[in-house]
């Protein structure tokens, strides 16, 4: 076991394990490299290498663990933070640069999949307490493209000077949160279609002065 090892090095037996390490791609990239010029500083609660109980002689697999203290169950397949950390792991699996992780190790490690694991602490004793998901390399690549597209869209929105330049993207937050629903016909149509006209009326009535 190698918790918080600053220099890495091959394990001498047992699991390789790091607690809250800062993810990097070597001295020049102290963050997860998502794309050209786009990096994301982050750290997992736990990251390590684990062999399959069903195949103890087979390749080890990277395991990324996060502890969640939320009333709502967090599913690892849909957690953006875990996706970013998995992208880092795949980057390192195929081009090891971080000096504390796999660079310089002579290990048999699965390079096509990463295990994501969430410990939902407020749901201890239930089937949702520990949830796992095997993320494949193809899924990670698709997730990375979604994040790059989102970053591009956020950059465009950040440069908008007028609300008319913003393209509406209706979703669940229209009814639950959006503070400009009264100004957005696309959002109002979405709430009316998915929740009904009465729900839309109540939602708009929350604004001072009533619905408009």
């Amino acid at each position: 076991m190698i918790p918080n090892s600053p220099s890495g090095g091959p394990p001498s037996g047992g699991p390789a394990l790091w607690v809250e390490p800062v993810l990097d791609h070597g001295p020049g990239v102290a963050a997860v490299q998502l794309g050209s010029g786009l990096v994301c500083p982050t750290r997992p609660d736990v990251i390590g290498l684990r062999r399959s109980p069903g195949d103890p002689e087979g390749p080890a697999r990277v395991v990324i663990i996060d502890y969640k203290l939320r009333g709502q169950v967090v599913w690892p397949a849909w957690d953006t933070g875990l996706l970013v950390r998995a992208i880092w792991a795949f980057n390192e699996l195929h081009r090891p640069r971080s000096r504390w992780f796999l660079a310089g190790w002579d290990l048999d490690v699965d390079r096509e999949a990463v295990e994501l694991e969430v410990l939902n602490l407020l749901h201890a004793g239930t089937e949702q307490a520990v949830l796992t998901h095997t993320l494949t390399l193809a899924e990670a690549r698709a997730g990375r493209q979604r994040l790059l597209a989102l970053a591009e869209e956020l950059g465009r929105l950040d440069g908008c000077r007028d609300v008319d330049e913003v393209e509406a993207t209706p979703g669940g937050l229209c009814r639950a949160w959006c503070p400009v629903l009264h100004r957005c016909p696309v959002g109002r149509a979405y709430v009316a279609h998915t929740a009904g006209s009465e729900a839309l009326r109540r939602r708009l009535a929350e604004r001072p002065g009533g619905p408009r």
Side-chain angles (χ1 to χ4, degrees), residues 139-159:
E139 290 171 333
R141 285 172 173 165
R144 175 179 172 274
Q145 289 304 118
R146 289 195 302 272
L147 293 179
L148 290 175
L150 177 60
E152 182 178 351
E153 176 67 9
L154 289 175
R156 189 187 70 80
L157 291 177
D158 193 47

Side-chain angles (χ1 to χ4, degrees), residues 38-194:
L38 180 61
V39 296
C40 179
T42 186
R43 61 172 65 193
D45 289 331
V46 175
I47 188 169
L49 302 175
R50 184 166 63 194
R51 295 191 185 276
S52 169
D55 187 13
E57 301 301 322
R61 181 173 285 175
V62 174
V63 181
I64 303 170
I65 303 175
D66 256 13
Y67 299 96
K68 302 294 186 181
L69 194 64
R70 302 180 190 174
Q72 183 179 8
V73 171
V74 176
W75 298 85
W78 308 109
D79 188 83
T80 301
L82 279 171
L83 172 61
V84 169
R85 293 154 193 169
I87 291 170
W88 176 87
F90 278 116
N91 285 342
E92 288 298 314
L93 284 167
H94 289 267
R95 186 188 172 193
R97 289 177 288 165
S98 180
R99 292 180 294 182
W100 61 267
F101 194 51
L102 295 179
W105 289 28
D106 183 19
L107 292 175
D108 185 14
V109 182
D110 187 348
R111 288 171 169 75
E112 301 300 315
V114 167
E115 294 291 333
L116 307 180
E117 189 168 295
V118 169
L119 275 63
N120 291 292
L121 300 179
L122 293 185
H123 299 268
T126 73
E127 294 182 353
Q128 288 78 40
V130 180
L131 298 173
T132 61
H133 175 70
T134 300
L135 187 76
T136 66
L137 177 59
E139 290 171 333
R141 285 172 173 165
R144 175 179 172 274
Q145 289 304 118
R146 289 195 302 272
L147 293 179
L148 290 175
L150 177 60
E152 182 178 351
E153 176 67 9
L154 289 175
R156 189 187 70 80
L157 291 177
D158 193 47
C160 290
R161 298 184 179 183
D162 189 273
V163 69
D164 291 333
E165 300 177 23
V166 179
E167 182 180 350
T169 53
L173 290 178
C174 293
R175 178 185 178 189
W177 171 80
C178 182
V180 294
L181 182 64
H182 63 289
R183 298 173 57 190
C184 180
V186 176
R188 294 199 302 272
Y190 176 85
V191 173
H193 175 71
T194 59

Side-chain angles (χ1 to χ4, degrees), residues 17 25 58 131:
L17 177 70
H25 295 297
L131 298 173

